[in-house]
Amino acid sequence: MSTANHGAGAHHPHLAHHFRTLDQQFEAGKLGVWLFLATEILMFGGLFVGYLIFHNLYPEMFAEGAKYLDWKMGAFNTIVLLVSSFTMAISIQYAQTNQPKKSFNMMAVTIFCGFIFMVVKYFEYTHKFHLGLKPGDLFAFDGGQASNLALYFSFYFLMTGLHGSHVLVGMGLIGWSMYRTKRGDFDSQHYTFVEGTGLFWHLVDLIWIFLFPLLYLVG
């Protein structure tokens, strides 16, 4: 994103006292966001490595576990998140070009997509619970062929549950961005929070792009 206009806003009302210019404040804020996102990648990366190790040890069990997932619901949620990434990116562009009303509307669409995603996950989870396909010692499904099928659903609930919590956090951040947009906090010189929220949301979407094939299409 261009920051050409930030340096001129040295007396901008949202310039923190410990920064000399808006440009410096923007770059510091963006660096902080990227460092935070790096820790998120490391956390999910550890789960992905664990998944790949156990998948290599028990490929038949993982293939059987995937059969109990509805890939159509997973694919639908993938499309929903892709749309939400697009609308979030557009909302940032509107914030950068002094169009707060359009930015607010696009964030509203983004948060609605997040709501749709969570509703779909709710129906997925309740169906698994009804069948007894639960993680770890809670596993109570009698129809499986693999004796360690609970391991697959431990990965499923841990990875999708952690991802779902990030979706909720992202929705909260977008909601706060909407409130601040309505209040008039952002303009072409000051939109760091909106862009940081967008980067977080894009990472959440990207993680799902990996989760979907690993969990739903592994068979």
Side-chain angles (χ1 to χ4, degrees), residues 8-26:
H11 300 291
H12 194 280
H14 293 289
L15 177 65
H17 68 88
H18 49 281
F19 293 108
R20 289 177 294 179
T21 64
L22 281 171
D23 184 67
Q24 183 187 46
Q25 179 174 277
F26 175 82

mmCIF file of all heavy atoms in Angstrom, residues 8-26:
data_model
loop_
_atom_site.group_PDB
_atom_site.id
_atom_site.type_symbol
_atom_site.label_atom_id
_atom_site.label_comp_id
_atom_site.label_asym_id
_atom_site.label_seq_id
_atom_site.Cartn_x
_atom_site.Cartn_y
_atom_site.Cartn_z
ATOM 1 N N ALA A 8 3.015 13.957 5.018
ATOM 2 C CA ALA A 8 2.509 15.332 5.058
ATOM 3 C C ALA A 8 1.587 15.575 6.237
ATOM 4 O O ALA A 8 1.212 16.689 6.514
ATOM 5 C CB ALA A 8 1.767 15.644 3.755
ATOM 6 N N GLY A 9 1.212 14.474 6.960
ATOM 7 C CA GLY A 9 0.228 14.640 8.021
ATOM 8 C C GLY A 9 0.849 14.725 9.387
ATOM 9 O O GLY A 9 0.377 14.103 10.325
ATOM 10 N N ALA A 10 1.929 15.501 9.541
ATOM 11 C CA ALA A 10 2.656 15.550 10.803
ATOM 12 C C ALA A 10 1.779 16.037 11.941
ATOM 13 O O ALA A 10 2.019 15.705 13.095
ATOM 14 C CB ALA A 10 3.879 16.440 10.667
ATOM 15 N N HIS A 11 0.763 16.862 11.664
ATOM 16 C CA HIS A 11 -0.100 17.391 12.713
ATOM 17 C C HIS A 11 -1.489 16.756 12.662
ATOM 18 O O HIS A 11 -2.454 17.327 13.154
ATOM 19 C CB HIS A 11 -0.218 18.915 12.570
ATOM 20 C CG HIS A 11 1.104 19.617 12.665
ATOM 21 N ND1 HIS A 11 1.828 19.698 13.843
ATOM 22 C CD2 HIS A 11 1.844 20.244 11.712
ATOM 23 C CE1 HIS A 11 2.962 20.350 13.613
ATOM 24 N NE2 HIS A 11 2.992 20.690 12.346
ATOM 25 N N HIS A 12 -1.566 15.584 12.098
ATOM 26 C CA HIS A 12 -2.836 14.863 12.017
ATOM 27 C C HIS A 12 -3.311 14.537 13.433
ATOM 28 O O HIS A 12 -2.514 14.168 14.298
ATOM 29 C CB HIS A 12 -2.644 13.576 11.202
ATOM 30 C CG HIS A 12 -3.925 12.950 10.786
ATOM 31 N ND1 HIS A 12 -4.683 12.170 11.643
ATOM 32 C CD2 HIS A 12 -4.590 12.955 9.591
ATOM 33 C CE1 HIS A 12 -5.753 11.731 11.004
ATOM 34 N NE2 HIS A 12 -5.725 12.190 9.764
ATOM 35 N N PRO A 13 -4.593 14.668 13.703
ATOM 36 C CA PRO A 13 -5.094 14.415 15.070
ATOM 37 C C PRO A 13 -4.840 13.001 15.579
ATOM 38 O O PRO A 13 -4.841 12.781 16.799
ATOM 39 C CB PRO A 13 -6.598 14.703 14.957
ATOM 40 C CG PRO A 13 -6.911 14.638 13.497
ATOM 41 C CD PRO A 13 -5.681 15.111 12.798
ATOM 42 N N HIS A 14 -4.627 12.032 14.683
ATOM 43 C CA HIS A 14 -4.394 10.656 15.107
ATOM 44 C C HIS A 14 -2.906 10.287 15.113
ATOM 45 O O HIS A 14 -2.562 9.118 15.243
ATOM 46 C CB HIS A 14 -5.160 9.688 14.204
ATOM 47 C CG HIS A 14 -6.653 9.802 14.351
ATOM 48 N ND1 HIS A 14 -7.324 9.376 15.478
ATOM 49 C CD2 HIS A 14 -7.595 10.329 13.522
ATOM 50 C CE1 HIS A 14 -8.623 9.600 15.331
ATOM 51 N NE2 HIS A 14 -8.803 10.189 14.161
ATOM 52 N N LEU A 15 -2.054 11.290 14.999
ATOM 53 C CA LEU A 15 -0.617 11.035 15.081
ATOM 54 C C LEU A 15 -0.207 10.940 16.546
ATOM 55 O O LEU A 15 -0.356 11.883 17.308
ATOM 56 C CB LEU A 15 0.173 12.151 14.384
ATOM 57 C CG LEU A 15 1.699 12.041 14.462
ATOM 58 C CD1 LEU A 15 2.186 10.800 13.711
ATOM 59 C CD2 LEU A 15 2.354 13.295 13.896
ATOM 60 N N ALA A 16 0.308 9.761 16.947
ATOM 61 C CA ALA A 16 0.742 9.565 18.332
ATOM 62 C C ALA A 16 1.959 10.439 18.622
ATOM 63 O O ALA A 16 2.781 10.720 17.729
ATOM 64 C CB ALA A 16 1.074 8.097 18.573
ATOM 65 N N HIS A 17 2.092 10.845 19.879
ATOM 66 C CA HIS A 17 3.132 11.821 20.233
ATOM 67 C C HIS A 17 4.545 11.274 20.049
ATOM 68 O O HIS A 17 5.492 12.043 19.858
ATOM 69 C CB HIS A 17 2.943 12.266 21.685
ATOM 70 C CG HIS A 17 3.221 11.172 22.689
ATOM 71 N ND1 HIS A 17 4.473 10.926 23.199
ATOM 72 C CD2 HIS A 17 2.378 10.267 23.249
ATOM 73 C CE1 HIS A 17 4.404 9.903 24.045
ATOM 74 N NE2 HIS A 17 3.152 9.492 24.104
ATOM 75 N N HIS A 18 4.713 9.937 20.095
ATOM 76 C CA HIS A 18 6.056 9.375 20.002
ATOM 77 C C HIS A 18 6.480 9.098 18.567
ATOM 78 O O HIS A 18 7.529 8.510 18.340
ATOM 79 C CB HIS A 18 6.158 8.094 20.843
ATOM 80 C CG HIS A 18 5.052 7.114 20.601
ATOM 81 N ND1 HIS A 18 3.801 7.259 21.145
ATOM 82 C CD2 HIS A 18 5.005 5.978 19.875
ATOM 83 C CE1 HIS A 18 3.028 6.259 20.771
ATOM 84 N NE2 HIS A 18 3.732 5.465 19.998
ATOM 85 N N PHE A 19 5.669 9.513 17.586
ATOM 86 C CA PHE A 19 6.052 9.406 16.179
ATOM 87 C C PHE A 19 6.182 10.811 15.597
ATOM 88 O O PHE A 19 5.425 11.718 15.942
ATOM 89 C CB PHE A 19 5.012 8.610 15.377
ATOM 90 C CG PHE A 19 4.930 7.160 15.752
ATOM 91 C CD1 PHE A 19 3.837 6.665 16.455
ATOM 92 C CD2 PHE A 19 5.947 6.278 15.415
ATOM 93 C CE1 PHE A 19 3.759 5.327 16.804
ATOM 94 C CE2 PHE A 19 5.872 4.933 15.755
ATOM 95 C CZ PHE A 19 4.779 4.463 16.449
ATOM 96 N N ARG A 20 7.130 10.963 14.674
ATOM 97 C CA ARG A 20 7.339 12.268 14.063
ATOM 98 C C ARG A 20 6.366 12.538 12.932
ATOM 99 O O ARG A 20 5.947 13.681 12.725
ATOM 100 C CB ARG A 20 8.786 12.374 13.560
ATOM 101 C CG ARG A 20 9.827 12.491 14.669
ATOM 102 C CD ARG A 20 11.234 12.510 14.118
ATOM 103 N NE ARG A 20 11.570 11.237 13.489
ATOM 104 C CZ ARG A 20 12.732 10.962 12.892
ATOM 105 N NH1 ARG A 20 13.664 11.900 12.829
ATOM 106 N NH2 ARG A 20 12.958 9.788 12.374
ATOM 107 N N THR A 21 6.029 11.490 12.168
ATOM 108 C CA THR A 21 5.129 11.657 11.027
ATOM 109 C C THR A 21 4.156 10.493 10.972
ATOM 110 O O THR A 21 4.364 9.440 11.579
ATOM 111 C CB THR A 21 5.912 11.691 9.697
ATOM 112 O OG1 THR A 21 6.549 10.417 9.491
ATOM 113 C CG2 THR A 21 6.957 12.797 9.702
ATOM 114 N N LEU A 22 3.072 10.663 10.214
ATOM 115 C CA LEU A 22 2.121 9.583 9.990
ATOM 116 C C LEU A 22 2.759 8.429 9.224
ATOM 117 O O LEU A 22 2.405 7.270 9.413
ATOM 118 C CB LEU A 22 0.902 10.109 9.234
ATOM 119 C CG LEU A 22 -0.133 10.878 10.053
ATOM 120 C CD1 LEU A 22 -1.157 11.508 9.138
ATOM 121 C CD2 LEU A 22 -0.814 9.954 11.051
ATOM 122 N N ASP A 23 3.707 8.776 8.364
ATOM 123 C CA ASP A 23 4.397 7.742 7.601
ATOM 124 C C ASP A 23 5.163 6.820 8.540
ATOM 125 O O ASP A 23 5.119 5.588 8.414
ATOM 126 C CB ASP A 23 5.356 8.384 6.601
ATOM 127 C CG ASP A 23 6.030 7.350 5.717
ATOM 128 O OD1 ASP A 23 5.326 6.724 4.910
ATOM 129 O OD2 ASP A 23 7.261 7.164 5.847
ATOM 130 N N GLN A 24 5.864 7.398 9.507
ATOM 131 C CA GLN A 24 6.611 6.598 10.477
ATOM 132 C C GLN A 24 5.653 5.762 11.329
ATOM 133 O O GLN A 24 5.913 4.590 11.605
ATOM 134 C CB GLN A 24 7.451 7.517 11.370
ATOM 135 C CG GLN A 24 8.334 6.762 12.369
ATOM 136 C CD GLN A 24 9.018 7.694 13.348
ATOM 137 O OE1 GLN A 24 8.390 8.587 13.909
ATOM 138 N NE2 GLN A 24 10.314 7.495 13.552
ATOM 139 N N GLN A 25 4.559 6.350 11.735
ATOM 140 C CA GLN A 25 3.571 5.634 12.543
ATOM 141 C C GLN A 25 2.970 4.467 11.760
ATOM 142 O O GLN A 25 2.788 3.363 12.295
ATOM 143 C CB GLN A 25 2.468 6.601 12.969
ATOM 144 C CG GLN A 25 1.362 5.962 13.793
ATOM 145 C CD GLN A 25 0.381 6.987 14.315
ATOM 146 O OE1 GLN A 25 0.612 7.614 15.337
ATOM 147 N NE2 GLN A 25 -0.726 7.164 13.605
ATOM 148 N N PHE A 26 2.680 4.703 10.493
ATOM 149 C CA PHE A 26 2.102 3.666 9.638
ATOM 150 C C PHE A 26 3.063 2.499 9.480
ATOM 151 O O PHE A 26 2.673 1.322 9.620
ATOM 152 C CB PHE A 26 1.759 4.263 8.267
ATOM 153 C CG PHE A 26 1.255 3.248 7.277
ATOM 154 C CD1 PHE A 26 -0.073 2.851 7.298
ATOM 155 C CD2 PHE A 26 2.097 2.695 6.331
ATOM 156 C CE1 PHE A 26 -0.547 1.920 6.389
ATOM 157 C CE2 PHE A 26 1.641 1.769 5.422
ATOM 158 C CZ PHE A 26 0.306 1.380 5.452
#
